[in-house]
Amino acid sequence: MRFFVHAALTALLLSLAATAFGADEDGYDLWLRYRPLERASQQRVQAQARSIVLAGASSPTTDAALAELDKGLSGTMGRAPAHTARIGDGALLLATPARLPALADTASPLRTELATLGDEGYLLRQTRMQGHQVTLIAANTDIGLLYGAFAWLREAAIGNMRAASSAPKLQLRLLNHWDNLDRTVERGYAGQSIWDWWALPDIKDQRYTDYARANASLGINGTVLNNVNSKPEILTAPFIAKAAAVADILRPYGIKVYLSARFSTPLELHETSTADPLAPEVQQWWNKKADEIYKSIPDFGGFLVKANSEGQPGPQDYHRTHADGANMLAAAVAPHKGIVMWRAFVYAPKGAHLADDRAKQAYEEFKPLDGTFAANVLVQVKNGAIDFQPREPFHPLFGAMPKTPLMMEFQITKEYLGYSTDLAYLGTLFEETLDSDTRTGKTVAQTLSGMAGVANIGSDRNWAGSHFDQANWYAFGKLAWNPQATASDIAIEWAALTFGPDQRVTTPVTEMLMMSRETVVNYMTPLGLHHMMGTSHHFGPAPWVDNLERPDWNPVYYHRADRNGIGFNRTAIGSNALEQYAPEIARQYADPHTTPQQLLLWFHHLPWDYAMPSGRTLWAELLARYDKGVADTKLLHARWTALKPFIDTRRYTEVEQRLVRQTQNAILWRDACIAYFQSVSGLPLPPGVQAPAHPLEYYKALRYPYAPGRG
Ligand code: BDP
């Protein structure tokens, strides 16, 4: 009997806990969930928002800010306070100097503070205004007020209510959609493109507004709607009208629309006889095209261009330089204050001369052009010199082009890190690159004028393909606003907003996030290995591939493993890619003993018996890393299962299924790589290291014909 009472009580408590931790969520609300707060937090929020007051007349942007405050407060508090015209005690007051004379008063310390916050900054402050105690959201512009409203709501949702002041450190904070006009997404793992080009411009999905809200909440202020592998049609009148409809929706949220332009567009549309950037007919065509676009989209941001890379057309087809091409487009958008983001991800097209090391090509092509780009051109550089690998050293162009504004290009979508099935928080990857010291007097972050992230957004209900991948969108936005923010602070905040502020959840979730990317590095490409993924879809291990048309598409080109050793020698006696870095770095990394272990095989080819700091041989260390990758994946899973009582069933299950799959992926990577490297090294497995489950041929025969993301 006692047993039954006990069991019934436990069941009751468990079900209460389940209710306490909420009904099922599908992830659509992202970090803007606005779930009911506990009583004590509600009281704190209530004290700051007895009424809502907007100083001055409304605008589409203040309408958006007020609507968000209503939505947020209805959710967290159960009801939104009244909007009033007069300031009273406990008012939440939104004001700019133009809206409220008291803020324009040069003697006011708030005015002085605001003067440091620029066009997009904001401050949150408890203060007295017209004799009343108020909570002030102040900014210099309406966009600043919107950002401030989101920041205040974030504080409310976490129950903090701290004073704050913040301004973006980078002017350009963009998403890059690799979305095609047929709604497929290149390297997208979250369903179809959210842009329904067929339905636009007449039919406008509510998602576009929610997309704008989510991005504005992070301070993202631009979006490139279409794939860098672009099509000429995007610049025809019907598509300009479609882009204009999107721009109209995003505008109140401070987000500008940009388009990826195909360099040969006028030629392919049969409107010119060449695409040579120095031909007057081509220049005139682009000038007229820019005028046409700006007529429909007055605040059009400009163009993103992938040229002379992977078969895309470009100025080199006419023996012109990247600067000639970029400057021609820049001249077309300059009268409208537009910009051109010209990508540095270039490597020789098929059949052309192959560099001895693909990692060197962007630097070789772009460094000599420093100082020759027009003022409204930015060169957009991927974080590393190869291609969005789980780990790469920072790209040598950062710090090497002091006369050219640079944009960082990160990949938020996880093409090489397990799609949206494997958990890998990229905040740590982004932070590692941004904090790298270029030894030119600046960190990578300090060399930047902007930051672009290849979006992981799609039509999936949860936007990103998995709940945890939302954290990568979040971290990108936060770091674009402040590249000095830390990945762990961002993780804590995201965890609290996504799963609620209970520390029994936020602490372990943050720990999971923080260990996840290193876990993926360990089970995929430890110790500086890179580019060993399956051909074309880039899923799963394929270190054996050696038969592709271009040598630098083959994994064997990158790991160079043979009976004697492994790794790519990029020192002076190798490809000398090291020479592209500042002398201090080149010197430090010239010696394997002073090269960070995590980049060892990126820069060095070493014998299998090379002595590692751990006391193990390189061979044994490599095996140990693979084992750690698998062990840590299991640990991620175990940490999540311990959270079961605290997470709604739907999200718990969706994440859990992925972690089971990730463990299988990790084992696959470990086993396949060990089987392959053992076949080349001929070395035995040390005692205690488990043999791969299958012979090498089994792994080589695996195929993924319908892997997603190939656009
Ligand atoms: C590679 C992708 C390819 C992109 C290319 C790029 O595999 O789909 O088109 O980068 O950035 O990572 O242009």
Side-chain angles (χ1 to χ4, degrees):
M1 180 66 189
R2 279 213 357 232
F3 169 78
F4 284 112
V5 172
H6 183 77
L9 257 176
T10 314
L12 180 69
L13 283 174
L14 277 176
S15 75
L16 277 178
T19 347
F21 293 107
D24 273 356
E25 294 189 36
D26 60 18
Y28 183 84
D29 293 335
L30 296 161
W31 45 88
L32 304 173
R33 293 161 56 253
Y34 306 131
R35 293 298 187 272
L37 289 170
E38 297 178 343
R39 230 183 133 56
S41 303
Q42 278 192 342
Q43 280 164 354
R44 279 200 298 275
V45 175
Q46 170 104 36
Q48 291 200 9
R50 296 194 189 287
S51 63
I52 296 180
V53 183
L54 170 70
S58 69
S59 71
T61 298
T62 57
D63 283 350
L66 295 179
E68 197 68 31
L69 288 169
D70 282 349
K71 191 174 169 64
L73 286 164
S74 313
T76 50
M77 309 291 292
R79 70 184 178 88
H83 294 213
T84 59
R86 297 224 350 232
I87 297 172
D89 280 325
L92 180 62
L93 169 65
L94 284 74
T96 62
R99 293 172 169 280
L100 189 71
L103 282 184
D105 177 358
T106 45
S108 140
L110 283 172
R111 166 75 204 222
T112 318
E113 192 176 344
L114 273 177
T116 65
L117 296 176
D119 279 351
E120 297 176 302
Y122 61 84
L123 59 81
L124 310 179
R125 201 59 45 86
Q126 298 291 310
T127 186
R128 286 195 82 75
M129 201 58 78
Q130 298 176 0
H132 297 282
Q133 185 64 30
V134 301
T135 297
L136 178 68
I137 300 178
N140 293 308
T141 64
D142 289 357
I143 287 299
L145 292 182
L146 178 66
Y147 290 158
F150 276 115
W152 184 82
L153 282 167
R154 215 160 27 235
E155 292 288 304
I158 300 178
N160 276 335
M161 313 316 298
R162 295 166 298 195
S165 85
S166 187
K169 294 207 167 66
L170 297 179
Q171 219 190 326
L172 293 164
R173 308 178 298 277
L174 267 67
L175 289 183
N176 287 183
H177 288 268
W178 284 1
D179 295 17
N180 297 315
L181 306 184
D182 62 2
R183 290 195 83 177
T184 56
V185 182
E186 184 155 342
R187 312 309 177 183
Y189 313 101
Q192 288 189 290
S193 169
I194 58 164
W195 313 121
D196 190 344
W197 292 104
W198 182 252
L200 283 164
D202 316 288
I203 301 167
K204 289 165 269 205
D205 197 326
Q206 166 62 29
R207 271 208 174 211
Y208 303 159
T209 307
D210 290 332
Y211 168 92
R213 291 174 48 234
N215 282 312
S217 78
L218 304 174
I220 286 171
N221 65 358
T223 182
V224 183
L225 300 180
N226 63 313
N227 193 354
V228 286
N229 295 319
S230 182
K231 294 276 188 268
E233 291 79 13
I234 188 71
L235 298 184
T236 59
F239 279 92
I240 293 172
K242 293 168 194 283
V246 175
D248 288 344
I249 298 171
L250 305 188
R251 187 169 297 111
Y253 295 86
I255 302 169
K256 281 188 186 178
V257 156
Y258 299 72
L259 295 173
S260 289
R262 184 168 167 88
F263 198 74
S264 53
T265 300
L267 177 67
E268 288 188 55
L269 294 177
H270 306 292
E271 295 178 15
T272 57
S273 62
T274 169
D276 180 349
L278 300 193
E281 59 162 333
V282 174
Q283 296 171 348
Q284 278 154 21
W285 188 91
W286 283 105
N287 293 346
K288 271 181 53 196
K289 185 52 71 180
D291 294 346
E292 181 190 344
I293 296 173
Y294 279 92
K295 229 175 246 145
S296 304
I297 313 175
D299 55 352
F300 178 63
F303 296 123
L304 171 65
V305 188
K306 171 177 179 177
N308 292 122
S309 172
E310 298 186 326
Q312 294 295 314
Q316 292 174 349
D317 303 348
Y318 304 91
H319 308 290
R320 312 295 186 200
T321 67
H322 285 293
D324 292 330
N327 293 348
M328 184 260 304
L329 294 176
V333 294
H336 310 280
K337 300 197 165 40
I339 61 165
V340 171
M341 294 160 291
W342 192 270
R343 296 178 82 227
F345 177 72
V346 291
Y347 67 93
K350 284 181 198 170
H353 160 75
L354 285 170
D356 58 339
D357 178 358
R358 178 169 138 192
K360 285 161 60 178
Q361 191 170 339
Y363 182 100
E364 282 173 355
E365 287 192 29
F366 279 84
K367 163 84 181 156
L369 298 175
D370 190 26
T372 65
F373 288 99
N376 58 335
V377 174
L378 294 103
V379 172
Q380 183 163 309
V381 184
K382 285 191 184 181
N383 58 285
I386 296 294
D387 198 0
F388 298 139
Q389 295 300 296
R391 169 166 282 122
E392 298 193 30
F394 72 87
H395 200 300
L397 277 174
F398 295 115
M401 295 189 67
K403 297 187 207 123
T404 309
L406 297 183
M407 301 259 303
M408 168 65 72
E409 181 176 306
F410 283 126
Q411 197 179 45
I412 308 172
T413 189
K414 303 205 312 296
E415 172 181 357
Y416 294 98
L417 289 101
Y419 296 0
S420 56
T421 40
D422 291 11
L423 166 52
Y425 171 56
L426 302 179
T428 46
L429 186 161
F430 302 157
E431 176 182 58
E432 182 177 298
T433 309
L434 292 167
D435 286 352
S436 296
D437 187 347
T438 65
R439 301 294 193 98
T440 61
K442 288 178 173 178
T443 62
V444 168
Q446 288 165 334
T447 69
L448 300 178
S449 302
M451 203 146 117
V454 179
N456 64 349
I457 297 162
S459 61
D460 278 5
R461 187 67 194 156
N462 66 25
W463 301 83
S466 77
H467 298 291
F468 271 92
D469 275 315
Q470 296 178 354
N472 293 328
W473 178 5
Y474 193 85
F476 169 79
K478 284 276 166 165
L479 285 164
W481 180 274
N482 175 15
Q484 269 123 43
T486 71
S488 62
D489 285 351
I490 295 170
I492 293 168
E493 188 174 274
W494 177 82
L497 293 170
T498 304
F499 296 112
D502 184 341
Q503 283 187 10
R504 288 170 300 175
V505 177
T506 54
T507 305
V509 165
T510 302
E511 286 165 5
M512 287 174 68
L513 289 166
M514 292 303 289
M515 71 184 278
S516 59
R517 180 264 187 147
E518 203 61 46
T519 300
V520 172
V521 169
N522 280 329
Y523 67 71
M524 287 190 184
T525 49
L527 298 172
L529 290 174
H530 49 289
H531 212 299
M532 306 203 308
M533 293 76 187
T535 306
S536 148
H537 50 66
H538 298 155
F539 178 81
W544 46 80
V545 171
D546 62 359
N547 60 354
L548 302 176
E549 192 181 346
R550 285 177 56 99
D552 58 4
W553 283 346
N554 289 317
V556 296
Y557 170 96
Y558 295 98
H559 63 64
R560 306 197 169 201
D562 59 18
R563 191 152 279 279
N564 302 317
I566 182 170
F568 197 126
N569 188 341
R570 292 191 164 105
T571 68
I573 53 161
S575 79
N576 207 14
L578 252 183
E579 189 193 39
Q580 297 181 335
Y581 288 94
E584 287 87 341
I585 295 181
R587 261 200 304 279
Q588 188 195 334
Y589 291 12
D591 179 350
H593 296 100
T594 49
T595 302
Q597 262 189 74
Q598 57 188 30
L599 297 174
L600 194 61
L601 302 178
W602 186 283
F603 289 110
H604 300 280
H605 184 86
L606 297 170
W608 291 110
D609 62 358
Y610 175 82
M612 296 293 290
S614 61
R616 289 190 272 252
T617 64
L618 174 57
W619 170 239
E621 183 72 32
L622 186 69
L623 302 172
R625 295 294 171 120
Y626 276 115
D627 276 336
K628 179 154 172 58
V630 172
D632 285 349
T633 311
K634 291 181 178 161
L635 191 63
L636 280 172
H637 185 207
R639 301 201 89 146
W640 184 251
T641 50
L643 288 173
K644 188 169 184 182
F646 305 106
I647 311 274
D648 57 280
T649 311
R650 177 165 177 170
R651 289 192 296 173
Y652 173 80
T653 310
E654 289 177 359
V655 171
E656 210 257 341
Q657 289 175 350
R658 279 170 177 72
L659 290 167
V660 171
R661 173 76 167 259
Q662 185 166 8
T663 306
Q664 292 162 9
N665 285 345
I667 293 170
L668 171 67
W669 266 95
R670 175 214 181 263
D671 284 2
C673 290
I674 292 180
Y676 171 72
F677 287 129
Q678 195 179 20
S679 78
V680 284
S681 75
L683 293 168
L685 298 181
V689 176
Q690 214 185 321
H694 303 280
L696 178 58
E697 294 313 313
Y698 166 89
Y699 301 106
K700 284 185 165 179
L702 294 174
R703 294 287 177 273
Y704 310 96
Y706 299 108
R710 274 178 292 173

